[in-house]
Amino acid sequence: MDTGTVVTPPYVAGPLELAPFRALRVDPSRVGDPASARLFARPFRSVAGRVRQWETQGHLLHESRPCLYLHEYTVNGVTVRGLVGALDVSRRATDPEQRAVLPHEGIYPAQADNLADRMHQMDLNPAPILLVQESPAPLRLLLRRQREAPPEVSFVDRAGCAHRLWTLHDPLVLETIAELLAPTTAVIADGHHRYAAYLRLQQRQPGPGFDQGLAMIVDHGDTPLFLGAIHRVLHGSSVDDVAVAARSVGIPTRPGHQSEALAALSPGVLVATDNDRWLRLDVGERVDRVEIEALHDRLVPALAHGPTRITHHHSAADALAHAGHADTTAILLPAPRYEQVQRVVQADRLFPEKATSFQPKPPLGVLLRRVHDEDDDPPSPPPRRVQRSRQRS
């Protein structure tokens, strides 16, 4: 993709609102099954019909009343808990003080348009976008009290991910959650293009349905997401090119052996290598800027040769595997900290493309939202066989 086409998505204006909705839930025995992904596959205009067929067959449960949901999932020992509801996207912020939802990366307009078309055809939000915030202490306490009751749903999916789900429908609880969320903001951790698609759909067809989009808000102070780095490979630029560019913009460099360079990788320090030569780059540690900004704003523009392209890699091993061929240099980055992400978005800046990796994401199928739901005429559930939840062995 041409990085020149990246734009800042619009900002949703406060108050931050997460409304109850009647969730669709894939049968626990099918969550995590790759075959279940075919429910949302092309042709997208057929998805709504497939969803209704699955609902009739008992493979999808449609909640009888609108609720908020507290969804807890554990992947590879990391537990994440989030509040899931229908995010109000009907208002646009005209100045920074009005913003309620804060993107930290730009989006490609064409990709957002394609996703909007797809969701319009499906009449479905197949998965929540992932938002993160430091929730107010009273909200954290309220949700902790809700978890004192046994979860309505508890299972281990086909991929080995453990889930617990509480439904929140008490009017007083919902009212209190709304009051506590309203003055807060949330950062988009995952789903920037789906967020932009929500806004496009709302602009095309304002009113019930597209005025909202499915979202999960995770409290960083309760169950923080793992935040990892996304490393770079500079194609067409050598380690020597990187060293010369660094010196020209005042970035201290230090050559060394592989073990020394990797041990030095830390906040404020990058590592450049072609798997033969290893170079430490001291860009400096700052709470209001991230190391990847130094790479893209200072170092890359100063390169005398290349890069002809930049590729992104979620693991250092993968980046190193692509380095060393025809003047190809891996740039290993430290993981940004959540506090840095907050500072950047509050300063009304965006990160470079693919700068963060928030994990783990909520698995597909646990909670879905039908955009135009029949709130006044819920379908009668079909007879269902009693199925035991799968337990860990």
Side-chain angles (χ1 to χ4, degrees), residues 118-153:
R118 183 184 307 181
M119 279 191 270
H120 188 273
Q121 292 175 7
M122 294 192 298
D123 197 40
L124 192 74
N125 298 149
I129 63 172
L130 191 58
L131 308 179
V132 61
Q133 65 170 210
E134 289 278 1
S135 296
L139 177 57
R140 192 175 301 160
L141 178 60
L142 173 62
L143 297 180
R144 185 180 303 150
R145 287 173 176 165
Q146 300 306 304
R147 300 199 311 272
E148 292 174 357
E152 279 78 5
V153 179

PDB file of all heavy atoms in Angstrom, residues 118-153:
ATOM      1  N   ARG A 118     -18.763  -4.158   3.467  1.00  0.00           N
ATOM      2  CA  ARG A 118     -18.919  -5.540   3.921  1.00  0.00           C
ATOM      3  C   ARG A 118     -19.901  -5.622   5.091  1.00  0.00           C
ATOM      4  O   ARG A 118     -20.799  -6.467   5.109  1.00  0.00           O
ATOM      5  CB  ARG A 118     -17.561  -6.104   4.332  1.00  0.00           C
ATOM      6  CG  ARG A 118     -17.564  -7.554   4.749  1.00  0.00           C
ATOM      7  CD  ARG A 118     -16.186  -7.991   5.234  1.00  0.00           C
ATOM      8  NE  ARG A 118     -15.138  -7.701   4.260  1.00  0.00           N
ATOM      9  CZ  ARG A 118     -13.858  -8.001   4.451  1.00  0.00           C
ATOM     10  NH1 ARG A 118     -13.470  -8.570   5.590  1.00  0.00           N
ATOM     11  NH2 ARG A 118     -12.956  -7.711   3.527  1.00  0.00           N
ATOM     12  N   MET A 119     -19.732  -4.716   6.087  1.00  0.00           N
ATOM     13  CA  MET A 119     -20.638  -4.751   7.241  1.00  0.00           C
ATOM     14  C   MET A 119     -22.064  -4.392   6.843  1.00  0.00           C
ATOM     15  O   MET A 119     -23.025  -4.915   7.401  1.00  0.00           O
ATOM     16  CB  MET A 119     -20.129  -3.817   8.340  1.00  0.00           C
ATOM     17  CG  MET A 119     -19.038  -4.428   9.198  1.00  0.00           C
ATOM     18  SD  MET A 119     -18.657  -3.451  10.682  1.00  0.00           S
ATOM     19  CE  MET A 119     -17.377  -2.373  10.054  1.00  0.00           C
ATOM     20  N   HIS A 120     -22.198  -3.487   5.857  1.00  0.00           N
ATOM     21  CA  HIS A 120     -23.536  -3.134   5.382  1.00  0.00           C
ATOM     22  C   HIS A 120     -24.212  -4.338   4.751  1.00  0.00           C
ATOM     23  O   HIS A 120     -25.398  -4.602   4.988  1.00  0.00           O
ATOM     24  CB  HIS A 120     -23.446  -1.985   4.378  1.00  0.00           C
ATOM     25  CG  HIS A 120     -24.768  -1.423   3.975  1.00  0.00           C
ATOM     26  ND1 HIS A 120     -25.507  -1.937   2.935  1.00  0.00           N
ATOM     27  CD2 HIS A 120     -25.513  -0.406   4.500  1.00  0.00           C
ATOM     28  CE1 HIS A 120     -26.639  -1.256   2.814  1.00  0.00           C
ATOM     29  NE2 HIS A 120     -26.664  -0.325   3.755  1.00  0.00           N
ATOM     30  N   GLN A 121     -23.483  -5.095   3.947  1.00  0.00           N
ATOM     31  CA  GLN A 121     -24.040  -6.290   3.316  1.00  0.00           C
ATOM     32  C   GLN A 121     -24.371  -7.361   4.348  1.00  0.00           C
ATOM     33  O   GLN A 121     -25.396  -8.051   4.239  1.00  0.00           O
ATOM     34  CB  GLN A 121     -23.057  -6.840   2.282  1.00  0.00           C
ATOM     35  CG  GLN A 121     -22.875  -5.947   1.064  1.00  0.00           C
ATOM     36  CD  GLN A 121     -21.803  -6.474   0.121  1.00  0.00           C
ATOM     37  OE1 GLN A 121     -21.276  -7.579   0.293  1.00  0.00           O
ATOM     38  NE2 GLN A 121     -21.473  -5.686  -0.884  1.00  0.00           N
ATOM     39  N   MET A 122     -23.511  -7.513   5.358  1.00  0.00           N
ATOM     40  CA  MET A 122     -23.729  -8.542   6.375  1.00  0.00           C
ATOM     41  C   MET A 122     -24.794  -8.133   7.386  1.00  0.00           C
ATOM     42  O   MET A 122     -25.379  -8.984   8.050  1.00  0.00           O
ATOM     43  CB  MET A 122     -22.421  -8.832   7.123  1.00  0.00           C
ATOM     44  CG  MET A 122     -21.337  -9.455   6.287  1.00  0.00           C
ATOM     45  SD  MET A 122     -19.937 -10.088   7.286  1.00  0.00           S
ATOM     46  CE  MET A 122     -19.348  -8.601   8.057  1.00  0.00           C
ATOM     47  N   ASP A 123     -25.015  -6.796   7.533  1.00  0.00           N
ATOM     48  CA  ASP A 123     -25.884  -6.257   8.585  1.00  0.00           C
ATOM     49  C   ASP A 123     -25.429  -6.789   9.942  1.00  0.00           C
ATOM     50  O   ASP A 123     -26.235  -7.159  10.795  1.00  0.00           O
ATOM     51  CB  ASP A 123     -27.349  -6.621   8.340  1.00  0.00           C
ATOM     52  CG  ASP A 123     -28.299  -5.748   9.163  1.00  0.00           C
ATOM     53  OD1 ASP A 123     -28.035  -4.536   9.282  1.00  0.00           O
ATOM     54  OD2 ASP A 123     -29.286  -6.281   9.712  1.00  0.00           O
ATOM     55  N   LEU A 124     -24.108  -6.771  10.132  1.00  0.00           N
ATOM     56  CA  LEU A 124     -23.543  -7.426  11.309  1.00  0.00           C
ATOM     57  C   LEU A 124     -22.227  -6.770  11.696  1.00  0.00           C
ATOM     58  O   LEU A 124     -21.443  -6.373  10.837  1.00  0.00           O
ATOM     59  CB  LEU A 124     -23.288  -8.905  10.977  1.00  0.00           C
ATOM     60  CG  LEU A 124     -22.963  -9.856  12.122  1.00  0.00           C
ATOM     61  CD1 LEU A 124     -24.222 -10.150  12.931  1.00  0.00           C
ATOM     62  CD2 LEU A 124     -22.395 -11.160  11.565  1.00  0.00           C
ATOM     63  N   ASN A 125     -22.001  -6.638  12.999  1.00  0.00           N
ATOM     64  CA  ASN A 125     -20.666  -6.356  13.546  1.00  0.00           C
ATOM     65  C   ASN A 125     -20.143  -7.693  14.059  1.00  0.00           C
ATOM     66  O   ASN A 125     -20.546  -8.156  15.129  1.00  0.00           O
ATOM     67  CB  ASN A 125     -20.718  -5.357  14.693  1.00  0.00           C
ATOM     68  CG  ASN A 125     -21.251  -3.996  14.321  1.00  0.00           C
ATOM     69  OD1 ASN A 125     -21.868  -3.327  15.137  1.00  0.00           O
ATOM     70  ND2 ASN A 125     -21.040  -3.543  13.096  1.00  0.00           N
ATOM     71  N   PRO A 126     -19.260  -8.369  13.300  1.00  0.00           N
ATOM     72  CA  PRO A 126     -18.866  -9.731  13.662  1.00  0.00           C
ATOM     73  C   PRO A 126     -17.919  -9.823  14.855  1.00  0.00           C
ATOM     74  O   PRO A 126     -17.755 -10.906  15.418  1.00  0.00           O
ATOM     75  CB  PRO A 126     -18.192 -10.257  12.400  1.00  0.00           C
ATOM     76  CG  PRO A 126     -17.732  -9.036  11.681  1.00  0.00           C
ATOM     77  CD  PRO A 126     -18.705  -7.950  12.005  1.00  0.00           C
ATOM     78  N   ALA A 127     -17.293  -8.706  15.243  1.00  0.00           N
ATOM     79  CA  ALA A 127     -16.371  -8.728  16.389  1.00  0.00           C
ATOM     80  C   ALA A 127     -16.237  -7.310  16.922  1.00  0.00           C
ATOM     81  O   ALA A 127     -16.338  -6.347  16.159  1.00  0.00           O
ATOM     82  CB  ALA A 127     -15.005  -9.270  15.977  1.00  0.00           C
ATOM     83  N   PRO A 128     -16.023  -7.157  18.220  1.00  0.00           N
ATOM     84  CA  PRO A 128     -15.862  -5.806  18.767  1.00  0.00           C
ATOM     85  C   PRO A 128     -14.498  -5.221  18.442  1.00  0.00           C
ATOM     86  O   PRO A 128     -13.500  -5.942  18.403  1.00  0.00           O
ATOM     87  CB  PRO A 128     -16.020  -6.018  20.279  1.00  0.00           C
ATOM     88  CG  PRO A 128     -15.581  -7.433  20.508  1.00  0.00           C
ATOM     89  CD  PRO A 128     -15.982  -8.199  19.271  1.00  0.00           C
ATOM     90  N   ILE A 129     -14.461  -3.901  18.201  1.00  0.00           N
ATOM     91  CA  ILE A 129     -13.169  -3.233  18.202  1.00  0.00           C
ATOM     92  C   ILE A 129     -12.689  -3.198  19.652  1.00  0.00           C
ATOM     93  O   ILE A 129     -13.482  -3.275  20.589  1.00  0.00           O
ATOM     94  CB  ILE A 129     -13.235  -1.822  17.586  1.00  0.00           C
ATOM     95  CG1 ILE A 129     -14.143  -0.897  18.413  1.00  0.00           C
ATOM     96  CG2 ILE A 129     -13.702  -1.891  16.139  1.00  0.00           C
ATOM     97  CD1 ILE A 129     -14.089   0.560  17.972  1.00  0.00           C
ATOM     98  N   LEU A 130     -11.385  -3.096  19.829  1.00  0.00           N
ATOM     99  CA  LEU A 130     -10.796  -3.200  21.164  1.00  0.00           C
ATOM    100  C   LEU A 130     -10.326  -1.818  21.613  1.00  0.00           C
ATOM    101  O   LEU A 130      -9.457  -1.210  20.977  1.00  0.00           O
ATOM    102  CB  LEU A 130      -9.626  -4.181  21.127  1.00  0.00           C
ATOM    103  CG  LEU A 130      -9.026  -4.652  22.449  1.00  0.00           C
ATOM    104  CD1 LEU A 130     -10.069  -5.324  23.320  1.00  0.00           C
ATOM    105  CD2 LEU A 130      -7.867  -5.612  22.186  1.00  0.00           C
ATOM    106  N   LEU A 131     -10.920  -1.320  22.692  1.00  0.00           N
ATOM    107  CA  LEU A 131     -10.562  -0.036  23.274  1.00  0.00           C
ATOM    108  C   LEU A 131      -9.914  -0.271  24.638  1.00  0.00           C
ATOM    109  O   LEU A 131     -10.225  -1.255  25.318  1.00  0.00           O
ATOM    110  CB  LEU A 131     -11.797   0.853  23.451  1.00  0.00           C
ATOM    111  CG  LEU A 131     -12.704   1.051  22.235  1.00  0.00           C
ATOM    112  CD1 LEU A 131     -13.897   1.936  22.588  1.00  0.00           C
ATOM    113  CD2 LEU A 131     -11.935   1.660  21.076  1.00  0.00           C
ATOM    114  N   VAL A 132      -9.039   0.650  25.044  1.00  0.00           N
ATOM    115  CA  VAL A 132      -8.385   0.506  26.335  1.00  0.00           C
ATOM    116  C   VAL A 132      -8.358   1.861  27.033  1.00  0.00           C
ATOM    117  O   VAL A 132      -8.246   2.903  26.383  1.00  0.00           O
ATOM    118  CB  VAL A 132      -6.949  -0.071  26.162  1.00  0.00           C
ATOM    119  CG1 VAL A 132      -6.088   0.856  25.335  1.00  0.00           C
ATOM    120  CG2 VAL A 132      -6.302  -0.362  27.496  1.00  0.00           C
ATOM    121  N   GLN A 133      -8.505   1.835  28.345  1.00  0.00           N
ATOM    122  CA  GLN A 133      -8.484   3.048  29.142  1.00  0.00           C
ATOM    123  C   GLN A 133      -8.087   2.698  30.567  1.00  0.00           C
ATOM    124  O   GLN A 133      -8.065   1.528  30.952  1.00  0.00           O
ATOM    125  CB  GLN A 133      -9.862   3.721  29.165  1.00  0.00           C
ATOM    126  CG  GLN A 133     -10.937   2.908  29.858  1.00  0.00           C
ATOM    127  CD  GLN A 133     -12.241   3.659  30.099  1.00  0.00           C
ATOM    128  OE1 GLN A 133     -12.939   3.382  31.064  1.00  0.00           O
ATOM    129  NE2 GLN A 133     -12.603   4.584  29.236  1.00  0.00           N
ATOM    130  N   GLU A 134      -7.764   3.725  31.334  1.00  0.00           N
ATOM    131  CA  GLU A 134      -7.646   3.586  32.783  1.00  0.00           C
ATOM    132  C   GLU A 134      -9.014   3.940  33.351  1.00  0.00           C
ATOM    133  O   GLU A 134      -9.349   5.117  33.501  1.00  0.00           O
ATOM    134  CB  GLU A 134      -6.573   4.530  33.333  1.00  0.00           C
ATOM    135  CG  GLU A 134      -5.152   4.141  32.980  1.00  0.00           C
ATOM    136  CD  GLU A 134      -4.585   3.074  33.916  1.00  0.00           C
ATOM    137  OE1 GLU A 134      -5.312   2.631  34.836  1.00  0.00           O
ATOM    138  OE2 GLU A 134      -3.419   2.697  33.724  1.00  0.00           O
ATOM    139  N   SER A 135      -9.825   2.943  33.644  1.00  0.00           N
ATOM    140  CA  SER A 135     -11.201   3.197  34.078  1.00  0.00           C
ATOM    141  C   SER A 135     -11.229   3.841  35.457  1.00  0.00           C
ATOM    142  O   SER A 135     -10.332   3.615  36.283  1.00  0.00           O
ATOM    143  CB  SER A 135     -11.994   1.890  34.102  1.00  0.00           C
ATOM    144  OG  SER A 135     -12.115   1.338  32.807  1.00  0.00           O
ATOM    145  N   PRO A 136     -12.267   4.633  35.738  1.00  0.00           N
ATOM    146  CA  PRO A 136     -12.397   5.219  37.074  1.00  0.00           C
ATOM    147  C   PRO A 136     -12.507   4.130  38.135  1.00  0.00           C
ATOM    148  O   PRO A 136     -13.098   3.063  37.896  1.00  0.00           O
ATOM    149  CB  PRO A 136     -13.690   6.033  36.989  1.00  0.00           C
ATOM    150  CG  PRO A 136     -14.056   6.098  35.558  1.00  0.00           C
ATOM    151  CD  PRO A 136     -13.370   4.999  34.846  1.00  0.00           C
ATOM    152  N   ALA A 137     -11.948   4.389  39.300  1.00  0.00           N
ATOM    153  CA  ALA A 137     -11.963   3.404  40.385  1.00  0.00           C
ATOM    154  C   ALA A 137     -13.373   2.943  40.733  1.00  0.00           C
ATOM    155  O   ALA A 137     -13.590   1.743  40.966  1.00  0.00           O
ATOM    156  CB  ALA A 137     -11.251   3.961  41.615  1.00  0.00           C
ATOM    157  N   PRO A 138     -14.386   3.828  40.773  1.00  0.00           N
ATOM    158  CA  PRO A 138     -15.745   3.349  41.085  1.00  0.00           C
ATOM    159  C   PRO A 138     -16.276   2.359  40.046  1.00  0.00           C
ATOM    160  O   PRO A 138     -16.996   1.420  40.403  1.00  0.00           O
ATOM    161  CB  PRO A 138     -16.572   4.635  41.113  1.00  0.00           C
ATOM    162  CG  PRO A 138     -15.605   5.711  41.418  1.00  0.00           C
ATOM    163  CD  PRO A 138     -14.338   5.303  40.732  1.00  0.00           C
ATOM    164  N   LEU A 139     -15.933   2.553  38.780  1.00  0.00           N
ATOM    165  CA  LEU A 139     -16.375   1.609  37.754  1.00  0.00           C
ATOM    166  C   LEU A 139     -15.669   0.270  37.928  1.00  0.00           C
ATOM    167  O   LEU A 139     -16.295  -0.798  37.816  1.00  0.00           O
ATOM    168  CB  LEU A 139     -16.097   2.183  36.364  1.00  0.00           C
ATOM    169  CG  LEU A 139     -16.453   1.273  35.183  1.00  0.00           C
ATOM    170  CD1 LEU A 139     -17.918   0.859  35.216  1.00  0.00           C
ATOM    171  CD2 LEU A 139     -16.115   1.965  33.858  1.00  0.00           C
ATOM    172  N   ARG A 140     -14.384   0.313  38.221  1.00  0.00           N
ATOM    173  CA  ARG A 140     -13.635  -0.925  38.451  1.00  0.00           C
ATOM    174  C   ARG A 140     -14.238  -1.704  39.617  1.00  0.00           C
ATOM    175  O   ARG A 140     -14.403  -2.931  39.563  1.00  0.00           O
ATOM    176  CB  ARG A 140     -12.171  -0.583  38.733  1.00  0.00           C
ATOM    177  CG  ARG A 140     -11.219  -1.751  38.713  1.00  0.00           C
ATOM    178  CD  ARG A 140      -9.790  -1.253  38.890  1.00  0.00           C
ATOM    179  NE  ARG A 140      -9.429  -0.303  37.834  1.00  0.00           N
ATOM    180  CZ  ARG A 140      -8.434   0.562  37.923  1.00  0.00           C
ATOM    181  NH1 ARG A 140      -7.695   0.623  39.027  1.00  0.00           N
ATOM    182  NH2 ARG A 140      -8.161   1.372  36.924  1.00  0.00           N
ATOM    183  N   LEU A 141     -14.603  -0.995  40.690  1.00  0.00           N
ATOM    184  CA  LEU A 141     -15.207  -1.635  41.853  1.00  0.00           C
ATOM    185  C   LEU A 141     -16.573  -2.211  41.515  1.00  0.00           C
ATOM    186  O   LEU A 141     -16.912  -3.334  41.921  1.00  0.00           O
ATOM    187  CB  LEU A 141     -15.324  -0.628  42.998  1.00  0.00           C
ATOM    188  CG  LEU A 141     -15.987  -1.125  44.285  1.00  0.00           C
ATOM    189  CD1 LEU A 141     -15.210  -2.304  44.877  1.00  0.00           C
ATOM    190  CD2 LEU A 141     -16.092   0.015  45.301  1.00  0.00           C
ATOM    191  N   LEU A 142     -17.376  -1.461  40.768  1.00  0.00           N
ATOM    192  CA  LEU A 142     -18.713  -1.938  40.389  1.00  0.00           C
ATOM    193  C   LEU A 142     -18.620  -3.235  39.589  1.00  0.00           C
ATOM    194  O   LEU A 142     -19.359  -4.202  39.856  1.00  0.00           O
ATOM    195  CB  LEU A 142     -19.428  -0.857  39.581  1.00  0.00           C
ATOM    196  CG  LEU A 142     -20.776  -1.249  38.967  1.00  0.00           C
ATOM    197  CD1 LEU A 142     -21.786  -1.602  40.057  1.00  0.00           C
ATOM    198  CD2 LEU A 142     -21.308  -0.135  38.083  1.00  0.00           C
ATOM    199  N   LEU A 143     -17.721  -3.291  38.617  1.00  0.00           N
ATOM    200  CA  LEU A 143     -17.594  -4.494  37.800  1.00  0.00           C
ATOM    201  C   LEU A 143     -17.011  -5.653  38.598  1.00  0.00           C
ATOM    202  O   LEU A 143     -17.354  -6.816  38.361  1.00  0.00           O
ATOM    203  CB  LEU A 143     -16.731  -4.202  36.569  1.00  0.00           C
ATOM    204  CG  LEU A 143     -17.319  -3.164  35.600  1.00  0.00           C
ATOM    205  CD1 LEU A 143     -16.392  -2.960  34.413  1.00  0.00           C
ATOM    206  CD2 LEU A 143     -18.711  -3.584  35.126  1.00  0.00           C
ATOM    207  N   ARG A 144     -16.169  -5.342  39.566  1.00  0.00           N
ATOM    208  CA  ARG A 144     -15.651  -6.397  40.435  1.00  0.00           C
ATOM    209  C   ARG A 144     -16.794  -7.029  41.231  1.00  0.00           C
ATOM    210  O   ARG A 144     -16.848  -8.254  41.405  1.00  0.00           O
ATOM    211  CB  ARG A 144     -14.594  -5.820  41.373  1.00  0.00           C
ATOM    212  CG  ARG A 144     -13.891  -6.876  42.245  1.00  0.00           C
ATOM    213  CD  ARG A 144     -12.868  -6.204  43.148  1.00  0.00           C
ATOM    214  NE  ARG A 144     -11.897  -5.433  42.386  1.00  0.00           N
ATOM    215  CZ  ARG A 144     -11.291  -4.354  42.836  1.00  0.00           C
ATOM    216  NH1 ARG A 144     -11.559  -3.891  44.055  1.00  0.00           N
ATOM    217  NH2 ARG A 144     -10.407  -3.722  42.089  1.00  0.00           N
ATOM    218  N   ARG A 145     -17.715  -6.207  41.686  1.00  0.00           N
ATOM    219  CA  ARG A 145     -18.871  -6.736  42.424  1.00  0.00           C
ATOM    220  C   ARG A 145     -19.764  -7.591  41.531  1.00  0.00           C
ATOM    221  O   ARG A 145     -20.338  -8.584  41.982  1.00  0.00           O
ATOM    222  CB  ARG A 145     -19.666  -5.579  43.023  1.00  0.00           C
ATOM    223  CG  ARG A 145     -18.968  -4.910  44.209  1.00  0.00           C
ATOM    224  CD  ARG A 145     -19.710  -3.679  44.663  1.00  0.00           C
ATOM    225  NE  ARG A 145     -19.094  -3.078  45.853  1.00  0.00           N
ATOM    226  CZ  ARG A 145     -19.356  -1.856  46.290  1.00  0.00           C
ATOM    227  NH1 ARG A 145     -20.215  -1.083  45.621  1.00  0.00           N
ATOM    228  NH2 ARG A 145     -18.752  -1.394  47.371  1.00  0.00           N
ATOM    229  N   GLN A 146     -19.879  -7.207  40.251  1.00  0.00           N
ATOM    230  CA  GLN A 146     -20.687  -8.010  39.332  1.00  0.00           C
ATOM    231  C   GLN A 146     -20.063  -9.394  39.149  1.00  0.00           C
ATOM    232  O   GLN A 146     -20.776 -10.385  38.967  1.00  0.00           O
ATOM    233  CB  GLN A 146     -20.808  -7.304  37.972  1.00  0.00           C
ATOM    234  CG  GLN A 146     -21.462  -5.941  38.025  1.00  0.00           C
ATOM    235  CD  GLN A 146     -22.812  -5.959  38.701  1.00  0.00           C
ATOM    236  OE1 GLN A 146     -23.704  -6.710  38.304  1.00  0.00           O
ATOM    237  NE2 GLN A 146     -22.968  -5.132  39.736  1.00  0.00           N
ATOM    238  N   ARG A 147     -18.742  -9.467  39.238  1.00  0.00           N
ATOM    239  CA  ARG A 147     -18.062 -10.746  39.042  1.00  0.00           C
ATOM    240  C   ARG A 147     -18.154 -11.650  40.260  1.00  0.00           C
ATOM    241  O   ARG A 147     -17.738 -12.811  40.196  1.00  0.00           O
ATOM    242  CB  ARG A 147     -16.586 -10.524  38.692  1.00  0.00           C
ATOM    243  CG  ARG A 147     -16.343  -9.718  37.431  1.00  0.00           C
ATOM    244  CD  ARG A 147     -14.928  -9.917  36.904  1.00  0.00           C
ATOM    245  NE  ARG A 147     -13.902  -9.771  37.931  1.00  0.00           N
ATOM    246  CZ  ARG A 147     -13.328  -8.631  38.268  1.00  0.00           C
ATOM    247  NH1 ARG A 147     -13.729  -7.498  37.701  1.00  0.00           N
ATOM    248  NH2 ARG A 147     -12.379  -8.592  39.187  1.00  0.00           N
ATOM    249  N   GLU A 148     -18.677 -11.133  41.358  1.00  0.00           N
ATOM    250  CA  GLU A 148     -18.864 -11.989  42.529  1.00  0.00           C
ATOM    251  C   GLU A 148     -19.946 -13.035  42.284  1.00  0.00           C
ATOM    252  O   GLU A 148     -19.954 -14.084  42.928  1.00  0.00           O
ATOM    253  CB  GLU A 148     -19.205 -11.127  43.746  1.00  0.00           C
ATOM    254  CG  GLU A 148     -18.042 -10.245  44.211  1.00  0.00           C
ATOM    255  CD  GLU A 148     -18.441  -9.293  45.319  1.00  0.00           C
ATOM    256  OE1 GLU A 148     -19.651  -9.275  45.685  1.00  0.00           O
ATOM    257  OE2 GLU A 148     -17.563  -8.556  45.826  1.00  0.00           O
ATOM    258  N   ALA A 149     -20.852 -12.743  41.371  1.00  0.00           N
ATOM    259  CA  ALA A 149     -21.859 -13.730  40.977  1.00  0.00           C
ATOM    260  C   ALA A 149     -21.238 -14.698  39.974  1.00  0.00           C
ATOM    261  O   ALA A 149     -20.316 -14.327  39.232  1.00  0.00           O
ATOM    262  CB  ALA A 149     -23.062 -13.031  40.357  1.00  0.00           C
ATOM    263  N   PRO A 150     -21.717 -15.932  39.929  1.00  0.00           N
ATOM    264  CA  PRO A 150     -21.184 -16.874  38.931  1.00  0.00           C
ATOM    265  C   PRO A 150     -21.451 -16.355  37.523  1.00  0.00           C
ATOM    266  O   PRO A 150     -22.495 -15.746  37.260  1.00  0.00           O
ATOM    267  CB  PRO A 150     -21.973 -18.173  39.199  1.00  0.00           C
ATOM    268  CG  PRO A 150     -22.509 -18.017  40.579  1.00  0.00           C
ATOM    269  CD  PRO A 150     -22.744 -16.554  40.791  1.00  0.00           C
ATOM    270  N   PRO A 151     -20.533 -16.576  36.595  1.00  0.00           N
ATOM    271  CA  PRO A 151     -20.775 -16.146  35.210  1.00  0.00           C
ATOM    272  C   PRO A 151     -21.926 -16.926  34.589  1.00  0.00           C
ATOM    273  O   PRO A 151     -22.147 -18.097  34.912  1.00  0.00           O
ATOM    274  CB  PRO A 151     -19.450 -16.443  34.513  1.00  0.00           C
ATOM    275  CG  PRO A 151     -18.822 -17.513  35.334  1.00  0.00           C
ATOM    276  CD  PRO A 151     -19.242 -17.259  36.752  1.00  0.00           C
ATOM    277  N   GLU A 152     -22.662 -16.257  33.697  1.00  0.00           N
ATOM    278  CA  GLU A 152     -23.742 -16.958  32.992  1.00  0.00           C
ATOM    279  C   GLU A 152     -23.202 -18.004  32.034  1.00  0.00           C
ATOM    280  O   GLU A 152     -23.849 -19.022  31.769  1.00  0.00           O
ATOM    281  CB  GLU A 152     -24.617 -15.956  32.219  1.00  0.00           C
ATOM    282  CG  GLU A 152     -25.666 -15.222  33.048  1.00  0.00           C
ATOM    283  CD  GLU A 152     -25.067 -14.088  33.856  1.00  0.00           C
ATOM    284  OE1 GLU A 152     -23.857 -13.796  33.708  1.00  0.00           O
ATOM    285  OE2 GLU A 152     -25.812 -13.486  34.655  1.00  0.00           O
ATOM    286  N   VAL A 153     -22.012 -17.758  31.502  1.00  0.00           N
ATOM    287  CA  VAL A 153     -21.407 -18.666  30.527  1.00  0.00           C
ATOM    288  C   VAL A 153     -19.947 -18.865  30.908  1.00  0.00           C
ATOM    289  O   VAL A 153     -19.249 -17.910  31.251  1.00  0.00           O
ATOM    290  CB  VAL A 153     -21.491 -18.090  29.094  1.00  0.00           C
ATOM    291  CG1 VAL A 153     -20.842 -19.046  28.097  1.00  0.00           C
ATOM    292  CG2 VAL A 153     -22.930 -17.807  28.703  1.00  0.00           C
TER     293      VAL A 153
END
